[in-house]
Amino acid sequence: MAHLGALLTADEYATVQRRYEEMKEVVLPEGRAGNMTDGAVSELCKLFPEMKALSLAGQSKVTDESMERLMSCKGLQRLNVTGCEQVTGGGVVAVMKACDRLVLFEG
């Protein structure tokens, strides 16, 4: 949890974990916009492989590398990459092809 540990307090991580267990959604605490990295997204995919929803809105450090990692989350249904300026159309298309349950995309 090297990357996530640098972003979240223990209490914040517990809140993220609880919401994932209840709803299979990964929602980061407000005020963390722009701090997420590709390494942290990779960790999220390993920790929460069955996530159905992920918002990366405002995460300006996230790139197509994160989109490659998200391709392993086959149950992903909702993804928000609004404000992820380094994510390209090609990265988005790759996720949409790999995650055939993806029905809501914002970006």
Side-chain angles (χ1 to χ4, degrees):
M1 198 173 88
H3 297 282
L4 288 178
L7 294 174
L8 304 175
T9 67
D11 287 342
E12 289 171 333
Y13 179 79
T15 300
V16 170
Q17 176 72 31
R18 194 170 34 258
R19 182 149 184 180
Y20 172 75
E21 289 171 0
E22 293 171 2
M23 304 175 70
K24 299 292 187 238
E25 292 182 344
V26 176
V27 178
L28 300 173
E30 289 185 32
R32 299 294 185 210
N35 294 328
M36 185 66 78
T37 63
D38 291 326
V41 172
S42 182
E43 283 184 35
L44 286 176
C45 294
K46 290 175 187 171
L47 291 169
F48 309 115
E50 297 176 13
M51 72 176 129
K52 294 180 181 179
L54 176 64
S55 176
L56 295 172
Q59 303 299 331
S60 60
K61 296 177 185 173
V62 169
T63 71
D64 283 346
E65 182 180 329
S66 290
M67 300 302 101
E68 289 178 32
R69 300 294 181 262
L70 287 170
M71 290 167 54
S72 68
C73 299
K74 300 297 184 187
L76 194 63
Q77 296 174 9
R78 296 188 317 271
L79 176 63
N80 186 345
V81 294
T82 303
C84 297
E85 296 143 0
Q86 296 186 63
V87 173
T88 68
V92 170
V93 168
V95 172
M96 294 175 91
K97 286 182 179 178
C99 301
D100 60 356
R101 294 182 182 174
L102 191 62
V103 293
L104 179 61
F105 171 79
E106 297 178 63

